[in-house]
Amino acid sequence: MIDDPDDVPPPSWRQRPKPVGFEITYKLDGEALEIDRTRAVDRVRLSAVEQVRFLFAPGNISAKGYRTQLRLSDGRTITFGNLSWRSLTDLERDDARYHRFVSALAQAIMRANPRARFIGGRPRPLWLAMTLVGLLSLAMIAFFALRAFEQGQTNAGLLALLLLAASYWQVWPLIRLNRPRQLTPGEVPDDLVPGRVPAS
C-alpha cells in the first residue's frame, strides 16, 4: 500500500481508492506533488494549493475513513484517504504512515504557499444541514420508541432503542469530527488525520 519503511525521502503514499481500479501513488517531489495514476502522471505545484481540508468520511464497510482534500487555484480538487482497497470486501489501512505523509505534505504546502488555508471538517452550511438531519432522525426514532412503550409494544420499543443506539453511534462522530474549524497554517489535526506516533 505504501513505500518501503527504509525509504524516507521523498515522502509518498499509495492508495487504491476503489474496489476496482488502479492504485494511485502520491509523492512529494520538491515544490510539487507527483500523482501517478498508472496510466498517467500529473505534477501539481504546491504553490497552487489554496486550501487544505481534513474530513472524517467513513465508508460503506468501515467507520474509520478519513480524507485529505486539496483545492487548487484553478478550481480542481485532489482527494485521498487513509483506506485502500485490497479486494471487493477487504480494506487496508496504515494510519501511522498516512499521518507522516499528510504532515510532510502540509508542511511543504505551507512553505510553498504561506497563504494557503487549512480547514477541518465540512463547509458550515453542509455541516449544519447534516447536523439537523441527524438530530431529527434520532428524535424520530426516540419518539417511536416512546410511543411503542406507551402502547405496550415492548419488543418494538426495545428494537427502536437498539436502532437509536446504532444510529447515534454512526451520526455523532460525523457531527463531532466534521464540525467546521479554521486551523493554523500547516496544522494537521489528530482527530481527522489518525496515526500520529508519540515522540519517544
Side-chain angles (χ1 to χ4, degrees):
M1 174 173 157
I2 42 158
D3 49 323
D4 189 281
D6 297 328
D7 294 338
V8 178
S12 64
W13 176 251
R14 296 175 185 165
Q15 180 192 26
R16 189 179 175 193
K18 298 179 181 180
V20 178
F22 294 103
E23 184 180 75
I24 302 175
T25 301
Y26 303 87
K27 181 170 66 177
L28 281 174
D29 185 11
E31 295 283 313
L33 174 65
E34 184 179 284
I35 305 172
D36 186 346
R37 295 184 173 86
T38 304
R39 293 182 174 180
V41 178
D42 295 328
R43 285 180 60 84
V44 176
R45 292 181 298 106
L46 297 179
S47 59
V49 178
E50 293 186 335
Q51 178 180 282
V52 182
R53 184 183 294 275
F54 304 105
L55 301 164
F56 173 59
N60 293 334
I61 65 173
S62 174
K64 300 295 183 181
Y66 300 86
R67 292 180 187 167
T68 298
Q69 183 183 82
L70 312 179
R71 191 181 72 192
L72 309 182
S73 55
D74 61 4
R76 289 185 299 155
T77 59
I78 299 167
T79 304
F80 60 91
N82 67 320
L83 301 177
S84 184
W85 290 89
R86 287 193 295 192
S87 67
L88 292 175
T89 58
D90 189 20
L91 282 169
E92 181 180 15
R93 54 183 291 192
D94 187 337
D95 289 344
R97 291 188 177 229
Y98 176 71
H99 193 286
R100 282 199 294 270
F101 174 70
V102 173
S103 296
L105 176 62
Q107 292 301 309
I109 291 172
M110 183 183 65
R111 290 192 298 269
N113 182 12
R115 299 176 62 185
R117 298 174 62 212
F118 284 73
I119 298 172
R122 296 286 182 183
R124 186 167 299 276
L126 182 59
W127 180 78
L128 288 173
M130 180 176 64
T131 301
L132 180 60
V133 170
L135 293 178
L136 283 175
S137 299
L138 294 177
M140 289 174 61
I141 298 173
F143 176 76
F144 177 82
L146 180 61
R147 292 290 293 168
F149 284 122
E150 287 178 346
Q151 296 175 6
Q153 301 293 326
T154 305
N155 289 340
L158 291 175
L159 183 61
L161 288 180
L162 183 62
L163 179 60
L164 180 63
S167 299
Y168 178 83
W169 178 74
Q170 288 186 324
V171 170
W172 176 240
L174 279 171
I175 295 173
R176 179 176 59 87
L177 295 176
N178 281 323
R179 70 189 187 281
R181 51 197 142 136
Q182 293 289 334
L183 305 172
T184 59
E187 181 181 354
V188 175
D190 289 346
D191 59 343
L192 292 176
V193 185
R196 182 186 298 275
V197 177
S200 56

